Amino acid sequence: MKIKSFLTLALGIVILQSCSSKKSEDNQQKDSVTVNKIEKTSFGTFPDGRTADSYTLKNANGMEVKITNYGGVVSHWTAPDKDGKYEDIVLGFDSLAGYLTPPPYFGAIIGRYGNRIAKGKFKLEGKEYALATNNNNLNHLHGGVVGYDKVLWTAEPIEGEEPALKLTYLSKDGEEGYPGNLNVTVIYTLQKDNSLKMDYSATTDKTTIINLTNHSYFNLSASKNNILDHEVTLNADRFLPVDKGLIPTGELRAVKGTVFDFTSPTVIGKGINDEKDEQIKLGGGYDHAWILNKKEGNELSLAATVVDKTSGRKMEVLTTEPAIQFYTGNFLDGKLTGKGGVNYPKRFALCLESEHYPDSPNQAAFPTTVLKPNETYKTTTIYKFSVVK
Ligand code: BGC
């Protein structure tokens, strides 16, 4: 009897123990699924001794994004092809050295004002401001000589099922000629559905102008081919024609009947060399803002879809912004060699930069880019990857 109850007790303990160890295994498993660690490594050292870091964000599917606090550059970004193979789909360099040349804004955060401001001049509350004319000595481009792409941001990794990197930067009053101390935050979140979300926010202590974006150069073939076979759809019935300095003329032109019509899936190579089209000639290809079809004005909506049929990779871009700059890497010229020794010739990648219209501070009919001290600037853009078979 004694032996029997002892055995029953012992069996009970064994069952209980195995249950609790099963439970803790489950918990551990759950933890390893829900917490995707963020690895921090050195990205390199500047000539003046400062250092830059690189943060690797991974999701449970195997998507991997590397972001450096130098310019908030996304230097590496993998996406699956139709066989499930994750490969790098952005142009860039393995370490800081490549970014010091500097390259044409590969993967970087662009600010305080993305794209061009005519002659680098604008008026705000009666005062005239002069910015650097860093684009062919003619116009202001992408925030000036030292834009947000060339500064060190403060980085805060946020681990979780959807790992994120929070980047903050104080752009001082007068920096690059812009008024107001601007506190900028950009949060990159790698989501479960293979998308990278970019949340931008900012506040100022003086009335200023702002237009933030990201300048990733995508090649969905993982740099095996150029992008002329990529098929693009833009949810836009109109685009902004430009002058020879690539400043919008002010006209909102219908895309219908032109090589700017991407309202249905269209291969980039189809119209990009149409020299009869004056706008193609001026841009040296596509380098224009498309005005997004929106219901509400600033809702998060699908702006663009890109498909590379050979690899099966598909990218969708969603944004709260009113426009998207579709740039086909016309100024790449083969002088840069990036990751894996791959050379970057003309039209080797495409950019889809969510934005307000270029030169808005000088064009009263365009949606405003003015930010006042009592306001918060907030925009979101998402790049989502999937596969078409
Ligand atoms: C602009 C191009 C410019 C490029 C620089 C794009 O956003 O629209 O005109 O050359 O950035 O990389």
Side-chain angles (χ1 to χ4, degrees):
M1 189 62 178
K2 259 189 184 168
I3 291 180
K4 207 176 166 195
S5 56
F6 173 75
L7 281 177
T8 314
L9 187 71
L11 190 69
I13 290 171
V14 169
I15 289 172
L16 264 176
Q17 267 181 348
S18 84
C19 274
S20 82
S21 79
K22 172 87 179 48
K23 221 174 171 184
S24 79
E25 257 170 44
D26 280 356
N27 272 342
Q28 262 171 23
Q29 243 178 28
K30 208 168 146 210
D31 284 351
S32 70
V33 172
T34 51
V35 178
N36 293 303
K37 295 276 173 212
I38 296 176
E39 196 193 349
K40 180 181 170 186
T41 54
S42 164
F43 198 55
T45 307
F46 293 90
D48 64 7
R50 287 174 307 148
T51 56
D53 301 314
S54 177
Y55 296 83
T56 305
L57 277 54
K58 288 181 192 163
N59 71 7
N61 310 324
M63 182 176 259
E64 195 176 273
V65 173
K66 287 182 194 284
I67 302 160
T68 167
N69 60 333
Y70 179 60
V73 166
V74 181
S75 65
H76 168 99
W77 186 344
T78 68
D81 70 2
K82 57 185 169 207
D83 301 319
K85 190 168 170 202
Y86 281 77
E87 289 177 299
D88 194 354
I89 45 79
V90 289
L91 269 50
F93 304 93
D94 285 320
S95 67
L96 181 67
Y99 292 91
L100 299 179
T101 321
Y105 308 95
F106 287 173
I109 298 171
I110 305 295
R112 185 174 304 199
Y113 198 96
N115 211 279
R116 292 176 175 79
I117 295 176
K119 300 191 179 84
K121 292 206 169 105
F122 67 98
K123 254 195 187 155
L124 200 55
E125 297 180 334
K127 198 171 164 205
E128 176 128 349
Y129 291 90
L131 310 170
T133 47
N134 59 319
N135 186 216
N136 300 330
N137 283 327
L138 195 65
N139 298 314
H140 181 77
L141 178 67
H142 294 333
V145 181
V146 184
Y148 297 175
D149 59 300
K150 296 183 191 70
V151 298
L152 274 175
W153 292 65
T154 302
E156 187 193 318
I158 305 164
E159 292 179 338
E161 192 173 10
E162 300 197 316
L165 189 71
K166 181 179 178 185
L167 294 167
T168 49
Y169 176 65
L170 168 65
S171 170
K172 295 239 173 81
D173 186 15
E175 182 182 288
E176 290 294 325
Y178 292 99
N181 288 298
L182 189 74
N183 270 301
V184 190
T185 300
V186 178
I187 303 175
Y188 290 105
T189 307
L190 180 54
Q191 305 192 113
K192 287 183 285 188
D193 64 354
N194 277 359
S195 63
L196 185 66
K197 178 155 72 100
M198 305 182 184
D199 288 305
Y200 302 83
S201 58
T203 53
T204 183
D205 60 1
K206 265 189 203 165
T207 302
T208 190
I209 55 168
I210 182 167
N211 189 28
L212 305 178
T213 192
N214 176 277
H215 210 308
S216 285
Y217 283 66
F218 298 98
N219 181 320
L220 301 192
S221 80
S223 291
K224 293 187 180 69
N225 310 302
N226 66 29
I227 45 102
L228 296 182
D229 287 339
H230 284 29
E231 201 179 74
V232 171
T233 314
L234 300 174
N235 182 17
D237 294 334
R238 292 167 304 166
F239 78 107
L240 297 179
V242 292
D243 67 13
K244 60 180 189 319
L246 298 183
I247 297 290
T249 59
E251 179 192 347
L252 276 54
R253 189 177 290 174
V255 294
K256 211 174 173 161
T258 77
V259 292
F260 287 76
D261 189 351
F262 286 90
T263 51
S264 59
T266 305
V267 162
I268 296 176
K270 190 176 167 210
I272 200 170
N273 288 318
D274 185 356
E275 291 289 317
K276 291 190 302 297
D277 189 293
E278 177 224 10
Q279 284 301 316
I280 284 284
K281 266 197 354 210
L282 288 167
Y286 295 110
D287 190 358
H288 297 76
W290 268 254
I291 299 169
L292 298 171
N293 300 332
K294 293 260 178 186
K295 283 196 198 91
E296 306 275 327
N298 61 354
E299 82 272 17
L300 183 70
S301 64
L302 183 65
T305 305
V306 185
V307 172
D308 170 38
K309 284 204 171 133
T310 313
S311 65
R313 289 194 180 91
K314 174 178 172 183
M315 176 174 82
E316 289 165 295
V317 188
L318 295 98
T319 187
T320 58
E321 288 280 27
I324 199 147
Q325 187 81 12
F326 175 39
Y327 169 59
T328 42
N330 312 313
F331 296 111
L332 293 174
D333 55 9
K335 286 193 186 133
L336 291 172
T337 297
K339 292 171 281 187
V342 179
N343 183 257
Y344 298 146
K346 183 169 173 174
R347 296 178 181 159
F348 198 64
L350 63 91
C351 303
L352 283 162
E353 304 150 63
S354 54
E355 62 182 6
H356 267 60
Y357 306 0
D359 198 36
S360 296
N362 293 309
Q363 309 220 21
F366 289 176
T368 183
T369 50
V370 172
L371 182 72
K372 298 200 167 131
N374 55 349
E375 298 168 343
T376 302
Y377 170 91
K378 254 183 185 307
T379 72
T380 296
T381 297
I382 296 174
Y383 297 87
K384 181 175 186 297
F385 290 86
S386 56
V387 166
V388 287
K389 298 252 177 179

